[in-house]
Protein backbone atom coordinates (compact mmCIF):
# COMPACT_ATOMS: atom_id res chain seq x y z
CA UNK A 1 0.00 0.00 0.00
CA UNK A 2 1.20 3.48 -0.86
CA UNK A 3 0.90 6.43 1.48
CA UNK A 4 1.70 10.08 0.97
CA UNK A 5 3.08 11.53 4.19
CA UNK A 6 3.86 15.11 5.17
CA UNK A 7 6.17 15.56 8.15
CA UNK A 8 6.67 18.96 9.77
CA UNK A 9 9.44 19.15 12.32
CA UNK A 10 9.60 21.56 15.26
CA UNK A 11 12.61 21.08 17.49
CA UNK A 12 12.18 22.91 20.81
CA UNK A 13 14.54 25.87 21.20
CA UNK A 14 15.60 24.68 24.63
CA UNK A 15 16.81 21.27 23.39
CA UNK A 16 20.63 21.30 23.64
CA UNK A 17 22.24 21.54 20.18
CA UNK A 18 24.29 18.35 20.74
CA UNK A 19 21.13 16.38 21.61
CA UNK A 20 19.33 17.76 18.56
CA UNK A 21 22.29 16.85 16.32
CA UNK A 22 22.33 13.30 17.72
CA UNK A 23 18.60 12.80 17.08
CA UNK A 24 18.91 14.24 13.54
CA UNK A 25 21.81 11.87 12.78
CA UNK A 26 19.73 8.90 14.03
CA UNK A 27 16.80 10.09 11.95
CA UNK A 28 18.97 10.21 8.82
CA UNK A 29 20.26 6.66 9.36
CA UNK A 30 16.72 5.37 10.08
CA UNK A 31 15.36 7.09 6.97
CA UNK A 32 18.15 5.91 4.70
CA UNK A 33 17.81 2.29 5.87
CA UNK A 34 14.09 2.39 5.03
CA UNK A 35 14.84 4.01 1.66
CA UNK A 36 17.32 1.21 0.92
CA UNK A 37 14.68 -1.37 1.82
CA UNK A 38 12.21 0.21 -0.63
CA UNK A 39 9.63 1.00 2.06
CA UNK A 40 10.39 4.75 2.02
CA UNK A 41 10.09 5.32 -1.74
CA UNK A 42 10.48 9.08 -1.98
CA UNK A 43 11.50 11.97 0.23
CA UNK A 44 11.36 15.59 -0.84
CA UNK A 45 12.17 18.72 1.13
CA UNK A 46 9.31 21.26 1.10
CA UNK A 47 10.97 24.50 0.05
CA UNK A 48 11.16 27.04 2.83
CA UNK A 49 10.07 24.67 5.61
CA UNK A 50 11.60 22.13 7.97
CA UNK A 51 9.26 19.60 6.44
CA UNK A 52 9.14 16.86 3.84
CA UNK A 53 6.76 15.09 1.52
CA UNK A 54 7.38 11.37 1.45
CA UNK A 55 5.88 8.30 -0.17
CA UNK A 56 5.88 5.00 1.72
CA UNK A 57 5.25 1.57 0.23
CA UNK A 58 4.26 -0.69 3.11
CA UNK A 59 2.10 -3.74 3.84
CA UNK A 60 -0.68 -1.97 5.71
CA UNK A 61 -1.67 0.89 8.04
CA UNK A 62 -0.11 -0.90 11.00
CA UNK A 63 3.29 -1.12 9.32
CA UNK A 64 3.16 2.57 8.38
CA UNK A 65 2.27 3.47 11.96
CA UNK A 66 5.12 1.36 13.30
CA UNK A 67 7.60 3.07 10.95
CA UNK A 68 6.36 6.59 11.63
CA UNK A 69 6.16 6.17 15.39
CA UNK A 70 9.72 4.79 15.34
CA UNK A 71 11.14 7.96 13.76
CA UNK A 72 13.74 9.41 16.12
CA UNK A 73 12.20 12.86 15.49
CA UNK A 74 8.63 11.53 15.94
CA UNK A 75 7.92 13.46 19.14
CA UNK A 76 8.91 16.68 17.38
CA UNK A 77 6.79 16.08 14.28
CA UNK A 78 3.32 16.84 13.06
CA UNK A 79 2.46 14.14 10.54
CA UNK A 80 -0.31 14.01 7.96
CA UNK A 81 -1.02 10.80 6.04
CA UNK A 82 -3.01 10.24 2.85
CA UNK A 83 -3.55 6.73 1.45
CA UNK A 84 -2.88 6.50 -2.30
CA UNK A 85 -4.18 4.25 -5.04
CA UNK A 86 -3.58 4.10 -8.74
CA UNK A 87 -5.33 6.85 -10.68
CA UNK A 88 -7.46 5.46 -13.55
CA UNK A 89 -5.82 7.96 -15.94
CA UNK A 90 -2.25 7.12 -14.94
CA UNK A 91 -0.02 6.01 -17.80
CA UNK A 92 2.85 4.98 -15.53
CA UNK A 93 3.64 1.35 -14.83
CA UNK A 94 4.41 0.69 -11.21
CA UNK A 95 2.23 3.46 -9.76
CA UNK A 96 0.30 1.64 -7.09
O1 LIG B 1 14.44 16.48 7.61
C1 LIG B 1 13.26 16.04 7.66
O2 LIG B 1 12.43 16.29 6.80
C2 LIG B 1 12.84 15.17 8.83
C3 LIG B 1 13.34 13.80 8.76
C4 LIG B 1 12.87 12.89 7.74
C5 LIG B 1 13.90 12.19 7.25
C6 LIG B 1 15.07 12.71 7.80
O3 LIG B 1 16.23 12.35 7.60
O4 LIG B 1 14.77 13.75 8.62
Amino acid sequence: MLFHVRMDVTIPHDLPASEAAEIIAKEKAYSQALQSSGKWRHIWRIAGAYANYSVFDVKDNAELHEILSGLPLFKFMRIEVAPLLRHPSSIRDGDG
Side-chain angles (χ1 to χ4, degrees):
M1 293 175 73
L2 293 174
F3 293 90
H4 180 272
V5 177
R6 175 174 176 147
M7 303 175 206
D8 287 83
V9 183
T10 307
I11 294 181
H13 294 298
D14 59 355
L15 189 72
S18 59
E19 221 176 294
E22 197 177 315
I23 297 169
I24 289 166
K26 283 186 183 153
E27 178 83 17
K28 184 172 184 173
Y30 183 86
S31 167
Q32 291 185 334
L34 285 160
Q35 288 175 62
S36 296
S37 80
K39 288 182 191 292
W40 194 327
R41 259 210 213 174
H42 297 280
I43 181 167
W44 294 92
R45 176 63 75 220
I46 301 174
Y50 190 1
N52 71 75
Y53 284 127
S54 290
V55 174
F56 286 85
D57 187 354
V58 292
K59 188 165 55 93
D60 53 22
N61 295 9
E63 186 179 19
L64 181 69
H65 183 73
E66 193 182 316
I67 287 171
L68 295 179
S69 57
L71 289 162
L73 281 171
F74 181 71
K75 64 181 171 190
F76 304 127
M77 284 179 169
R78 196 171 68 85
I79 298 177
E80 287 171 18
V81 175
L84 302 175
L85 64 155
R86 186 178 175 80
H87 193 283
S89 302
S90 174
I91 60 164
R92 293 183 195 288
D93 290 336
D95 278 5

